[in-house]
Structure formats: C-alpha cells, structure tokens
Amino acid sequence: MSEVIPFLDFHAAVHELRDEVDRSIQRVLDSGWFILGRELDAFEAEFAEYCGVSFCAGVANGLDAIRLLLEAHGIGRGDEVLVPSHTFIATWIAVTQVGAEPVPVDVAISDFNLDVEKLRLSLTSRTRAIIPVHLYGLPCDMDRINAFADAHGLLVIEDNAQAVGAIYHNRRTGNLSRHGAATSFYPGKNLGAFGDAGAITTNDEIIYNKVKTLRNYGSPKKYHTEVVGMNSRLDEIQAAILRAKLPRLDEWNQRRIQIAHQYKAGLSDLAQIALPDSSHSSTRQSVWHLYVIQTDHRDSLQQFLEKNHIQTLVHYPIPPHSSGAYKDVDFPHDATKNAESLSRRVLSLPIGPHQSPGQTEFIIGKIREWCAKQM
Ligand SMILES: *Cc1c(COP(=O)(O)O)cnc(C)c1O
C-alpha cells in the first residue's frame, strides 16, 4: 500500500453524505434565515430524543457547552471543580473561564477515565462539581460518580465531547447525570459538523432555559437582556448538516466498534504494546472515538508507522497541568502522576467509519513488524 492511511478520512465521510448535505445547505439558503431558526429547533429536538433527555440547546462549540452549564449552575469565583488529570484541555479551560478552579483527579491507567477511588483525595470544602470525561469514547463509571457526588452535595456535568452514542447500562451518554452534559460537534468528533458546533443536553428545564438565555447575550427575548451572556449559537447551516448526519451516527459508530475488534484480534498477543481495556463492555459500550495503545517506545513506533504511510496522533502529548495555561499553579503529584505517564506512552491509531478492513490489516501488520524488531 503506497497511499497514505489517514488518521480519519474526511473526504470519504463527505462523499457518503454529499447529496443529503447539499440538500440541507440548499434548504437553509432558500429559507433566508441563518441563526436561531427552524433547523436548530428541529436538531435540538432530534438530538434530545437520541440521547433520551427532555432538553437540548445548541451552542457554538463544546468548550462553550461546558462553560455555559457551569455558569447556569452558578459555579464561579471561589469554587473548585474536579476534573480528570488526562483530558483535552478544554475541560479545564471551561472551569477557569467561569472564574472557578480546576482541581485534577488522576485517571486510571486501565480505562483512561478518572479514578473514582481518587475523587476523595481532591475533595475540599470548596468543591462544587465534578466533570467526568468519557475519554476516547468510553463512558465513565457514572453510577459510582453520581453516588459520590450525591453523598457530598456536588453537581455532575458530563463532558460528552468524545462519546456521543456510547451506552452505559442501557442509557446513552448525555443522559447520565441529573445536572447536564456537554457535547462537541467539532468535525473530528463521532458526530461532527462541517465547522464548529456544540450542545448541552439535560432533563432540568431551569438549566436548559438559563443556557438558552446565556448563549444569546443573556436575552431570553430579543433586546430584553437580563444578565451578561455570550454569543454562542449553533448556526442554521451546521444544524441542518447535523440533522443529515445524526441518522447515520449509530451505523458509523458500529463500524468503529468493528475496527476496534479487528485491532484487538490482531494485536493482543504483543508484549511490547498495551491495548485499550474492553473488559467493561457488558455495562459500558465505547464508541471508539479514538483507539489508543500504549508503549514505552511511543515515538519510535510513531515514526516507523509514519515511514510506512500510516498517520497516527498523540492524545495528548502535554497534560493540562503541565501546559502553559496552568504553569503558575502547583498541582499535587499524586493527582497527576498517571496523566504524565500516559502523555509519554499513548498513541492513537487510525480509526473511523470509512477505514476498510484491508487498511486496518495493513496497520496491524506494520505494528507487528515494528514489535518484531524490538526483540
Ligand atoms: C473536543 C473536546 C472538547 C471541546 O470541544 P470544542 O467543540 O472543540 O470546543 C471538550 N472536551 C473534550 C474531552 C473534547 O474532546
């Protein structure tokens, strides 16, 4: 194979949906209405139903979705919010943007999600909320997180950016906390727009109405501004595109699950690499946003695959606590140890709904070739 195997094939995704997407965009152009209109109303209803919740409000992106939920719940200056040590930095930034402090809880090496046993260690009298992130597409152990939160009077806001469609005990992510969930439709996410977009989902009508007000300058009614809000809206063209893609989501996630099975079958006997844990699959179904392996010689493997025209990525090379954004804050080593180790060891292999079994087989073959050379 001399053609490059892309990390995620956007061209193939556009190609499969071209006619529907063209018609959707056309519909918006013909309507002559581009912000807060019928397409958004319809998408919000459809996405709420998909997640199994009563309410959905579209916003401009995933970061704003987290931020607006925190604001709607009144979290701000003086408050602490527990966040996983290993996540995309937006989870932390949303907390900082509302004036609160992100406090890391270390993740478990086994499933990359925050370690429920360690929540206790980061708890203080100022803790107000927990943001569990369903990282790489695998739902967190939400029953235990919700029980801990209830016992300590904390809010729980799901960061569902990477796990749209994933299932935990017969319920979809986005519907696993009483206080709300934030989703991103960034193009690379499992349900991606062709631009920036995000949403909140919740069963709490008051929070839903607050987010709708906050996303539109703080105005529940045009020119009647009650609080200082933002401009964070999901536009009609992106909403129409998301409506065309949503009916395909389960099938596209299913194809990702097949690729994950194929990787596991092809790589599980190799001593040099650790595969993502799938032992929880009876209670939690991952949607494999990313397929992340670990090895002590990550950079060497990445370079070898690159030479063989296989694109890989690292999610994430710098943990939030070590980034420039938080360089002035001291975080306890105990709460960030596993994030540091993962940042040196993780490698995300290509995965996506348009990756063929032949491509996956080729990648498996090259990884086996690299492992044989390590002996
Ligand atoms: C992508 C992502 C976000 C932010 O979403 P944007 O739409 O890019 O703002 C937040 N949290 C996690 C875990 C993400 O992967």
Side-chain angles (χ1 to χ4, degrees), residues 220-364:
K221 226 171 89 187
K222 204 165 192 175
Y223 307 131
H224 289 71
T225 306
E226 295 181 346
V227 291
V228 177
M230 301 172 69
N231 174 352
S232 181
R233 300 174 301 215
L234 200 175
D235 70 72
E236 289 287 284
I237 287 185
Q238 295 307 331
I241 291 168
L242 287 165
R243 290 184 71 198
K245 292 186 86 177
L246 182 58
R248 296 289 232 290
L249 177 60
D250 283 343
E251 191 202 322
W252 285 20
N253 279 342
Q254 213 53 50
R255 295 191 214 160
R256 288 174 177 272
I257 291 168
Q258 287 310 319
I259 294 167
H261 284 314
Q262 198 183 341
Y263 275 136
K264 188 178 181 188
L267 298 171
S268 58
D269 61 315
L270 298 170
Q272 296 92 336
I273 59 174
L275 301 186
D277 185 10
S278 51
S279 61
H280 305 287
S281 53
S282 59
T283 52
R284 323 192 230 168
Q285 175 60 65
S286 175
V287 287
W288 298 104
H289 173 57
L290 298 170
Y291 193 90
V292 177
I293 64 170
Q294 293 175 59
T295 163
D296 290 337
H297 307 285
R298 190 261 315 278
D299 294 347
S300 149
L301 175 56
Q302 184 170 37
Q303 282 154 22
F304 179 81
L305 294 176
E306 165 109 54
K307 256 190 252 136
N308 287 281
H309 312 291
I310 297 166
Q311 266 182 8
T312 61
L313 293 172
V314 172
H315 299 91
Y316 301 89
I318 301 166
H321 72 274
S322 310
S323 75
Y326 295 99
K327 66 179 183 303
D328 300 329
V329 190
D330 272 332
F331 296 103
H333 182 61
D334 274 0
T336 55
K337 206 169 63 211
N338 288 345
E340 272 166 32
S341 152
L342 287 171
S343 69
R344 287 188 295 267
R345 290 172 46 84
V346 289
L347 185 67
S348 306
L349 303 182
I351 192 164
H354 300 90
Q355 186 168 306
S356 70
Q359 287 176 315
T360 308
E361 211 43 56
F362 179 78
I363 297 163
I364 290 169

Side-chain angles (χ1 to χ4, degrees), residues 61-63 66 87-88 90-91 133 159 161-162 184 186 189 197 316:
N61 54 63
L63 169 64
I66 306 171
T87 178
F88 180 54
T91 316
V133 179
D159 180 339
Q162 301 193 1
S184 165
Y186 178 78
K189 301 289 159 82
Y316 301 89

Side-chain angles (χ1 to χ4, degrees), residues 110 177 215 217 253 327:
S110 60
S177 153
R215 77 175 175 189
Y217 311 114
N253 279 342
K327 66 179 183 303

